[in-house]
Each structure stands twice: as C-alpha cells, then as structure tokens.
Amino acid sequence: MTDLFAPDSTDEDLPETAPLADRLRPRALDEVVGQDHLVGAEGAIGRMVSAGRLSSLILWGPPGTGKTTIARLLAAAVGLRFEAISAVFSGVAELKKVFAAARDHARGGQRTLLFVDEIHRFNRAQQDGFLPYVEDGTVTLVGATTENPSFELNAALLSRAQVLIVHRLDAAALNLLLDRAEAIEQRPLPLTADARAALVASADGDGRFLLNQAETLFSVALPEPLDPAGLSALLHRRMAVYDKDREGHYNLISALHKSLRGSDPQAALYYLARMLTAGEEPLYVLRRIVRFASEDIGLADPQALIQCLAAKDAYDFLGSPEGELAIVQACLYCATAPKSNAAYKAQKAAWKSARETGSLMPPANILNAPTRLMKDIGYGKGYAYDHDSENGFSGDHYWPEEMRPQTFYAPVDRGFEKRIAERLAYWEELRNAKRP
C-alpha cells in the first residue's frame, strides 16, 4: 500500500513530474507533522530512537495521519530492515514467507521491522500467528489500525506491544503541509484565505486527502484565486469519516447521549448533525433518544418520552429531510428538560431484588379469590379497597411476608418528580400513622 507520507530509502531527488505527495515525503522523523507527542524528543518513539531499542508497537489513528511514514522512518532510525504487508491483501501463505525471510536475515545479523497495515483486519487466529515471531525477536512488529485495538486485537498480541495513539492532524499541521506543497511548487495555492481555511477544514484531519486536493488545484489554470464557493464547485465535497458499525459510530452516539445528559442543547445538536449528515439511519438515532428520555429524564418530565415517540411518528410520516426537524425537536426537548435517572435506578434495583428473592408469594390480602377454596384459605381476606378509604389511600401492606418493604424508586427534587416526591412523602406519613 502506498503511503504518501512515506519515504523510500532508494529514492534520490524525485522529478517534478512525480506526484506532489511523493515529493513531500518526510526523510526523517522530525519532518513528520502533527505527531510531536510521539516523535519528539520526549515522545515514546523519540525516546526509543535515542536509546536505540525498539519494542513492538500498535499505531492507532485515523487515515492519512502518517502511520506508515512513522514505521518506515523508525526502521531507518534504529537500523532495522523494513518489511511491509497489508492485512487487506495478505494471507497465511504470505505471512509464512515474510517470517521465513525475516528469520534468514536474523541469522545474518539483520533484524526486521514488520509493518502490518490495517492489522485489525486479520482474524484472531492470524493474529495469534504473530506471537512466536514477536517473542523470539524474529520481527519487531509495528501494526497500524484505524480501529480501537481494545476491541479488534487479541489480548495476547496487545500484551506484547505498546499502543501509541496517532492524532488526527489539526489545522496547524495541515497548514504546514500546504506550506510545504507551496514551497516545492514555488507558487501559492490559487485560493483566497477563506478558501484555504475551507480546504483545510474539508480534509477532516486527513493529510493524504489534503495533498491530493492541493495537487488538483495546482494542476488547473485559474484566472484568479478561488473563494470558498468556487473551491466547493471545483472539488468534490468530502464526507465525514463515519463507519456505522465501527468505533466512530459508538463515539458519536456516546457524545450525543452525554451532551443530552449534561443539558447542553448546542453540543447535542452538533453531534446529532454529525451523525445524520454522515448517513446514520435516523430511526437508530431516534431509538437512542427515546431510550434517553426514559433513562435520564423519566418522570422529571413525563412529556419527554411522548415528545420522542411523536418525533418517531412524524419522521415515519414525513421521511427525510423534512422529518429530521422532528428529531431535532425531540433532541432539544430532552437536552433542556429536567433530568432524573430515578426510574433507571429503580428498575435496576427492582430487577436485582426480584432475582434474589425468587418466587415469594404476595400477601394473601391482595390475592384474588375466584373460587370458594381460595376464599376459605384466606385469599383476599382483609383487602382494603383504596377508593373507599379517606384520601383514596388505604396504606395497606403489599409485600411478601418473608420480605421487608424495599425502596427502589427515589424521585429527585427536580421537575415533575419534585411533586411526586411530595406525594410519596405524604402517603408514607399516612402509612406510618396506621402502623401500630
């Protein structure tokens, strides 16, 4: 796999006809942009290079951030032979050849850095196949992944490698790449300042994408610099990185949920927009907001659940894009509603108690007695009909005889639950007055 940030040690000065990305390839670790926390003198990789000792690594980060570049330069910095494979295109047969070649070179005193791109795409058995060669020093493994290693890589492999996070390139790093591109082209990009900022924003942290776009701009003859509208017309819009079955999906839904819980409607709306504009299924988002209405609002505002279900009906009726406004309304309602997780906590506590107490019989006074026999053995005897009682409250006993009354639901002092708490306190006062 070609990495536009990656140098080739056999290359000398490249011709002007070579792709821009090739001509911008870093020749040393200190030329890698945006990853000073790793390659700087105090970074993990910087320290390894200074010590001349390299451990196996997993480089975890988004696309276009220089993972392959770092691996190639790292091999050169510590004097290792560099071998690269991609898990997308490689199988067991190729791995065996790679390990055999690495073993032959090791006998001659040349150790190998094996770079595995998209390492998370290897299955668990294939990942286990790396272990003996990593343990005996045949290879120093450097894997690259865009997915969370905790979920995608074997625990055994993770225990033998240090996970390093490669950051999404920020605006400063992306602008530095553009500065280098302009220097090597010996002319500025044909963009206004606002258009250049829009180009950087469109890259979404991906240096590879940015340089490909810059090369397109250098290749066209323009009578005058483009403004943001002209840039948008010339270049295809970049869609946000968002795999609906991958970590990005769960990160954004977590961010939406926590922004709602934190009563920040602006942030909640932002994450909602991130998901929907990236192609998330609107009904999935609605399901999560409906769940939120019960879990984090509950009876503090009983209308929240109704608003969410109404939004679901509105979206079913209108579809996209018109129905998405109803999702926005539900999102904003939940973000601005008083919060309570009392119902959620009550459910967990009640379910736990039910599992622990088994099949205890309810007290006889609240059991129905449809037959004579059941009446004779005391079913329904002494039942107090609440509507016949003063205040519509009998204060009767409803718990199994072998079990003390429990408190699962404890309403908070916010929203509608404040009134519920007052009502429960009043009933408890009446109940205590009845007790001997």
Side-chain angles (χ1 to χ4, degrees):
M1 178 176 290
T2 301
D3 184 330
L4 60 92
F5 294 106
D8 187 331
S9 59
T10 63
D11 283 350
E12 300 298 334
D13 291 336
L14 293 170
E16 292 183 4
T17 55
L20 174 63
D22 286 343
R23 289 179 284 143
L24 280 175
R25 292 175 302 189
R27 302 285 174 163
L29 283 169
D30 60 7
E31 294 180 12
V32 175
V33 301
Q35 312 302 337
D36 288 347
H37 66 293
L38 296 179
V39 301
E42 299 302 316
I45 289 175
R47 289 177 181 274
M48 290 180 192
V49 171
S50 295
R53 297 181 61 85
L54 179 63
S55 62
S56 289
L57 305 172
I58 301 296
L59 301 176
W60 171 28
T65 51
K67 297 185 290 294
T68 309
T69 295
I70 291 172
R72 284 182 178 273
L73 296 176
L74 190 51
V78 294
L80 297 183
R81 168 179 170 267
F82 183 79
E83 181 77 36
I85 61 172
S86 169
V88 177
F89 303 109
S90 303
V92 173
E94 184 172 350
L95 284 174
K96 288 181 178 178
K97 292 178 182 177
V98 168
F99 291 136
R103 185 157 283 168
D104 289 342
H105 281 86
R107 293 192 187 103
Q110 178 67 64
R111 294 184 58 203
T112 297
L113 184 152
L114 175 60
F115 175 72
V116 183
D117 198 15
E118 305 285 350
I119 191 172
H120 63 276
R121 292 183 181 270
F122 278 132
N123 63 37
R124 301 286 173 169
Q126 290 170 320
Q127 291 178 29
D128 283 340
F130 287 95
L131 298 178
Y133 302 99
V134 171
E135 288 176 343
D136 69 10
T138 300
V139 298
T140 297
L141 175 66
V142 178
T145 177
T146 56
E147 300 299 326
N148 191 325
S150 301
F151 303 144
E152 303 295 338
L153 300 183
N154 286 357
L157 189 58
L158 284 177
S159 70
R160 292 162 175 81
Q162 183 177 353
V163 175
L164 301 180
I165 298 175
V166 183
H167 288 168
R168 174 183 182 274
L169 298 185
D170 60 16
L174 294 171
N175 273 300
L176 180 55
L177 285 179
L178 292 184
D179 290 343
R180 292 180 181 178
E182 291 173 327
I184 204 169
E185 288 286 333
Q186 298 182 348
R187 56 193 169 112
L189 278 164
L191 301 174
T192 66
D194 287 344
R196 181 184 170 114
L199 177 65
V200 167
S202 75
D204 197 24
D206 186 336
R208 178 183 294 111
F209 175 85
L210 181 73
L211 290 179
N212 287 340
Q213 297 290 64
E215 185 163 28
T216 299
L217 289 167
F218 281 127
S219 69
V220 296
L222 297 170
E224 58 186 18
L226 296 173
D227 62 10
L231 176 68
S232 178
L234 178 65
L235 301 178
H236 292 293
R237 177 177 176 272
R238 175 183 174 85
M239 293 301 293
V241 176
Y242 185 77
D243 294 324
K244 288 188 279 186
D245 63 343
R246 298 289 184 174
E247 191 199 6
H249 161 84
Y250 297 106
N251 284 346
L252 287 185
I253 198 61
S254 175
L256 173 61
H257 194 120
K258 291 179 174 63
S259 299
L260 291 169
R261 182 182 290 153
S263 301
D264 189 332
Q266 319 305 338
L269 193 56
Y270 168 73
Y271 291 116
L272 176 70
R274 282 276 301 274
M275 298 182 79
L276 293 182
T277 58
E280 180 58 80
E281 173 58 47
L283 288 176
Y284 169 78
V285 179
L286 271 169
R287 284 193 294 272
R288 301 314 307 163
I289 297 177
V290 168
R291 165 67 184 193
F292 177 87
S294 293
E295 178 180 338
D296 286 280
I297 297 175
L299 291 174
D301 186 346
Q303 282 293 320
L305 184 57
I306 297 172
Q307 285 278 335
C308 292
L309 293 175
K312 181 261 182 188
D313 289 342
Y315 181 79
D316 281 341
F317 185 53
L318 295 173
S320 290
E322 290 87 352
E324 291 174 7
L325 183 57
I327 304 177
V328 168
Q329 180 176 329
C331 173
L332 294 176
Y333 191 99
C334 288
T336 56
K339 305 300 189 294
S340 170
N341 68 344
Y344 173 66
K345 292 169 65 177
Q347 180 200 13
K348 293 179 68 175
W351 265 234
K352 180 175 183 290
S353 180
R355 286 191 294 267
E356 292 174 348
T357 55
S359 54
L360 297 180
M361 181 70 75
N365 64 306
I366 62 171
L367 298 178
N368 284 334
T371 69
R372 178 75 184 201
L373 173 62
M374 296 169 81
K375 289 181 181 177
D376 289 344
I377 62 176
Y379 279 31
K381 183 177 181 181
Y383 173 63
Y385 187 57
D386 289 81
H387 295 292
D388 291 340
S389 304
E390 185 179 2
N391 301 315
F393 179 80
S394 69
D396 211 345
H397 180 71
Y398 302 100
W399 292 87
E401 297 298 335
E402 303 91 336
M403 184 177 177
R404 294 174 59 85
Q406 306 288 308
T407 299
F408 302 130
Y409 175 54
V412 300
D413 192 30
R414 293 186 293 276
F416 185 70
E417 276 198 328
K418 182 175 183 179
R419 293 168 58 187
I420 295 175
E422 293 169 354
R423 193 178 307 134
L424 291 178
Y426 170 65
W427 286 337
E428 185 64 17
E429 186 178 325
L430 294 180
R431 188 178 288 113
N432 288 336
K434 278 196 60 176
R435 290 173 181 156

